[in-house]
Amino acid sequence: MSDLPVDEHALGIALLLGSLLLGLAVVVFIIAAFFSVLFARMDLGMKVVWIILIFLAPFIGALLWFVIGRPRAG
């Protein structure tokens, strides 16, 4: 392997910052899905279903909204 010294403190900080950035990205993704549902052109009942799904399974619900739930333009 390599003979380079590993600064464990720097590695820990890098892992912490990476985790925080990933967590922030997930939170922004979920909030974006929530507001996308709110402003979507669909009936109120379906909006409620999607919002409940996003709150019960935040990441999966948001992902499903953007993949299959969002009304297509046109």
Side-chain angles (χ1 to χ4, degrees):
M1 294 269 285
S2 175
D3 291 331
L4 296 174
V6 175
D7 185 3
E8 294 170 358
H9 183 68
L11 181 61
I13 290 173
L15 287 174
L16 177 65
L17 288 176
S19 298
L20 288 174
L21 286 175
L22 181 62
L24 180 63
V26 169
V27 168
V28 168
F29 179 65
I30 293 165
I31 291 171
F34 177 76
F35 280 104
S36 179
V37 169
L38 285 180
F39 295 113
R41 290 184 169 208
M42 61 176 32
D43 59 77
L44 182 61
M46 283 307 296
K47 285 183 182 187
V48 170
V49 168
W50 278 108
I51 288 172
I52 289 171
L53 182 62
I54 290 171
F55 277 114
L56 289 179
F59 184 76
I60 298 298
L63 185 64
L64 287 173
W65 165 252
F66 284 118
V67 173
I68 64 171
R70 202 164 65 163
R72 306 290 180 239

